[in-house]
Amino acid sequence: MNDHALAKTSPPLTLQEHTEDVVAEAESILARLRYHVKYHRLTGADLRERLLQAAVHHDRGKAHARWQQCAEEDRLREVGLRHELASLRAIDGDENVSLDDPSRVAIGAHHNKLSWAHEERWTTGGPGYDDHTGYWQAMRERQRNGRHEDFSALVRQRYEYDVVRALLQLADRRASQIESPEAPDPLPLRPFRYHFPHTDEDGAPSYRPVQEEALEHADEPTLALRSETGSGKTAASLLWAREQVRNQRARRAIIALPTRFTASSLAADTETHVTSGLYHSSAWQHLGDADRLFERLSMARQFLYPLTVTTIDQVLACLTGRREEDHLRFANLAHSALIIDECDFYDDVVQANIETMMSVLRELEVPVLVMSATLPDEHLSVYFPGRDDPPSPLDTTTADTTVEIASIHGVGELGQDEEGAEDMDWLVDTAREASRLIVYANTVDGAATYYRLLARYRDDLVLYHSRFTEPHKADKERAIRSMLGAGGSGGIAVMTQIGEMSLNVSAPVMVSELCPIDRLAQRTGRLSRFTDTDGTLHLIRPLRDGTLYPAPYGTLPPGEGWQASDALLQTDEELQEGQRLTKLDLKERTNAVYNEPLSFSDQADRNQEALRQEFRQHWLIRPQTTQDEDETDTARWQSRIIGPQVEVFVSEDHVQDQYEGYRAYQQATTQYAVSVPSYRYDQYADRFVTREVEVGTDNVEQVVALTEPSPYDDETGLVFQG
């Protein structure tokens, strides 16, 4: 290597110096992550040798005379040469160097150009230099040959290539950051470690039953754990993950939850005991003004934190291979312990996706812990694919505390109207008497109605639902925790399903609209959560035209009204005024309601096959169309099926005519927009206006905003009336 050949010009850095930096970072990454242990077990190959060979030769093409001339004349934009492809050519011309395919692919991909969108970069060289069509054809042939493998072999093949590909890019980026005088050193890479914080009088760990079970069965590759809400499942999962790391089965942990809201809430609960990163499409908002915010988000997005708290959608999306970053995420997932929390909160489309994911993770020997308060036995097969007899979950559900159904009230539309408030005297009396109260409504409109009613009598109450902007959601959670968290001041929280999971709050009295039994078990997990006393539950049967109004627990066929799900109807038959139900009773009734094996709809089957095709088609070469870093769906596949929604800015005042780029545009959307069901958009079309805004230099996006005066405010969110 020419000692004076340049690798960078600002500041000047020789190729030898940069290569040494990348090799040093690669060595450091291997020492910290220790991926080479599992890599050898699964592939029989030496990861250290492959990665260091790739690091030594990755920028060799920069020694090309044309590249050096343009570097010296400070006109690299005119070089007309993809140096990573020139590196492959230089390697082939050196009889002393022999690289295997994963190392060659890592070199060819290390600047994110191994995709159909960059085909021309591979097939057209600069003036005076041959093109690289042969290398593109070799990549295509490798892609085609790999696709014909059976799915299990394909999973291992992608793993074998992705780990080298991912770690070379990681080493190159971290070396470049160190080489920049203005940049801080890269954030540290650490394994997952967890110190259990609870001890007895003698200083010994004081484990609860669910935590003892998790430790006792930590050697099982896939573990299902069922325990009531508030029993210590989160700490149990962290103890389990700690054992996976100590026993060399993983290096880090990922907790995947059903929604962004639950992920944000759980991340806040765990951050004092373990180094964790939060990632989902609006995570930046929850992290506020954290130092090096976007660097931290990037690290969490890549599953590089000791503990990453995210959504199941983000974990599923990395299987598609559509973004270059998906290959890094896939490599890190393969070396993590995955915890799927609240695993029964999914429809059959998501469950089918999870079944495919579990098949992939089983092939890669990824330890998986599946947790829930109410997971039905008949739905376990999703998490144990290929087994005719899925094992029963470890169950520590107890009958220690009781929920008493003190009353059941049928409440019609007039009862949910301020003019019919006299029909709700019992609710007003309950709110006056209870120092701490939680009210659950099934819909945003219902929650807003209860809130307006109770606001006449109490000042210490908060409304929380999905149609608040992300900053206001964070404010609502903080307010509810301060009132109803451990040691809270007291008050009333009126919530929709958004407050069912991962919100560590408690009240001795609860009012809830009727919902399926598993959802009710989650809600009542917030009853007397911090004590061993029984809780009091008042049930509301929402009515319309004298019959049960099931929204959102059912289907809404076009042109027809809501049709209740079987689970809701069976729950309605099961529950009676005066019943006393233990957590064990709720679990058994959940099993009774969901007593049929989970069968996938045609839609779920098609979507599952689309995910497998995404995995097969993009295992090596990325597609022509790419995704934004926050997107989880593709043209063919969806992480979940959600009814049509419209992103709406809550005020025209928050819409700019021009945004610097898509990141700025997305940040504005997250900060100032809410999702509105399309049928509401159609119903209140006169309340919306559509505008065109410029994003970047040559992109135009259509933005929908609420007209003034906006029906949105930070107290009640977006609620349509009349």
Side-chain angles (χ1 to χ4, degrees), residues 339-579:
I339 299 157
I340 305 177
D341 198 1
E342 306 298 358
C343 58
D344 55 332
F345 269 76
Y346 302 112
D347 58 30
D348 70 330
V349 169
V350 182
Q351 296 280 26
N353 285 331
I354 290 175
E355 183 180 66
T356 296
M357 180 189 73
M358 291 297 291
S359 297
V360 171
L361 299 184
R362 180 184 60 188
E363 205 60 48
L364 299 178
E365 300 179 6
V366 173
V368 181
L369 173 62
V370 180
M371 298 197 307
S372 173
T374 55
L375 176 63
D377 291 343
E378 293 295 341
H379 291 189
L380 269 173
S381 59
V382 166
Y383 302 94
F384 297 89
R387 294 180 59 169
D388 295 330
D389 55 341
S392 298
L394 300 178
D395 200 325
T396 62
T397 308
T398 68
D400 292 346
T401 57
T402 301
V403 174
E404 180 185 4
I405 302 179
S407 64
I408 298 179
H409 303 268
V411 176
E413 290 181 274
L414 288 178
Q416 293 187 21
D417 187 293
E418 293 185 25
E419 295 180 0
E422 64 275 6
D423 295 337
M424 303 293 285
D425 288 345
W426 64 272
L427 177 57
V428 172
D429 292 341
T430 300
R432 281 173 164 166
E433 295 170 3
S435 61
R436 299 165 70 105
L437 173 67
I438 296 174
V439 179
Y440 278 113
N442 294 342
T443 64
V444 172
D445 291 347
T449 299
Y450 297 140
Y451 175 81
R452 287 192 294 267
L453 171 63
L454 298 182
R456 302 175 186 177
Y457 308 97
R458 293 282 292 265
D459 294 326
D460 55 343
L461 78 166
V462 174
L463 174 63
Y464 184 35
H465 56 69
S466 60
R467 271 187 247 150
F468 284 100
T469 62
E470 293 297 329
H472 290 157
K473 285 174 185 170
D475 292 342
K476 298 296 180 181
E477 283 211 5
R478 282 191 290 269
I480 293 172
R481 288 173 188 272
S482 69
M483 294 191 313
L484 302 180
S489 59
I492 300 175
V494 181
M495 302 185 285
T496 58
Q497 298 94 320
I498 197 173
E500 285 180 355
M501 297 176 287
S502 300
L503 195 58
N504 194 20
V505 296
S506 175
V509 183
M510 179 178 293
V511 176
S512 174
E513 291 191 334
L514 180 71
C515 58
I517 190 72
D518 53 323
R519 303 284 71 77
L520 188 64
Q522 285 289 340
R523 293 181 183 183
T524 57
R526 275 76 196 157
L527 262 176
S528 301
R529 186 180 180 93
F530 306 138
T531 68
D532 293 329
T533 59
D534 295 343
T536 300
L537 174 65
H538 300 275
L539 274 179
I540 293 175
R541 297 181 71 252
L543 305 175
R544 178 168 291 184
D545 299 327
T547 60
L548 181 66
Y549 181 65
Y553 302 109
T555 57
L556 185 60
E560 303 180 32
W562 277 95
Q563 297 179 5
S565 68
D566 290 340
L568 181 66
L569 295 176
Q570 290 182 49
T571 301
D572 192 26
E573 295 177 0
E574 289 268 347
L575 302 181
Q576 300 174 11
E577 189 171 307
Q579 275 181 326

Side-chain angles (χ1 to χ4, degrees), residues 107-128:
I107 291 172
H110 85 271
H111 277 290
N112 302 348
K113 300 297 189 294
L114 183 52
S115 76
W116 284 96
H118 298 97
E119 180 181 1
E120 287 187 2
R121 307 251 184 163
W122 289 74
T123 57
T124 304

Side-chain angles (χ1 to χ4, degrees), residues 56-226:
V56 167
H57 297 287
H58 78 291
D59 269 359
R60 190 167 171 176
K62 288 182 177 179
H64 189 274
R66 180 172 179 79
W67 203 96
Q68 287 298 311
Q69 181 182 355
C70 289
E72 291 170 1
E73 297 172 0
D74 196 23
R75 51 187 187 88
L76 281 174
R77 291 183 179 274
E78 304 170 22
V79 69
L81 172 71
R82 293 308 310 172
H83 73 267
E84 65 268 36
L85 306 184
S87 295
L88 293 176
R89 186 177 294 277
I91 291 165
D92 288 343
D94 188 340
E95 61 183 19
N96 296 316
V97 178
S98 176
L99 266 65
D100 54 19
D101 284 348
S103 299
R104 295 172 66 86
V105 166
I107 291 172
H110 85 271
H111 277 290
N112 302 348
K113 300 297 189 294
L114 183 52
S115 76
W116 284 96
H118 298 97
E119 180 181 1
E120 287 187 2
R121 307 251 184 163
W122 289 74
T123 57
T124 304
Y129 195 78
D130 294 337
D131 70 26
H132 305 283
T133 301
Y135 291 99
W136 177 248
Q137 291 175 341
M139 290 292 178
R140 289 184 59 186
E141 182 178 4
R142 190 175 291 114
Q143 165 103 331
R144 284 194 300 269
N145 292 340
R147 284 202 306 254
H148 295 309
E149 299 279 359
D150 67 72
F151 195 71
S152 296
L154 179 60
V155 169
R156 293 207 175 209
Q157 180 178 244
R158 175 172 168 183
Y159 167 82
E160 182 173 2
Y161 280 75
D162 271 6
V163 175
V164 187
R165 178 176 182 168
L167 296 190
L168 176 62
Q169 290 184 40
L170 185 61
D172 191 28
R173 286 201 303 269
R174 292 173 71 86
S176 295
Q177 189 171 346
I178 290 171
E179 292 162 352
S180 174
E182 298 82 14
D185 284 344
L187 293 172
L189 297 175
R190 300 189 180 101
F192 175 83
R193 288 174 181 147
Y194 174 60
H195 177 70
F196 185 70
H198 307 294
T199 58
D200 60 21
E201 295 179 354
D202 298 324
S206 179
Y207 298 127
R208 299 171 72 177
V210 67
Q211 294 151 8
E212 291 177 342
E213 287 286 343
L215 286 171
E216 184 177 343
H217 295 270
D219 284 337
E220 298 183 25
T222 302
L223 186 65
L225 191 62
R226 184 166 55 203

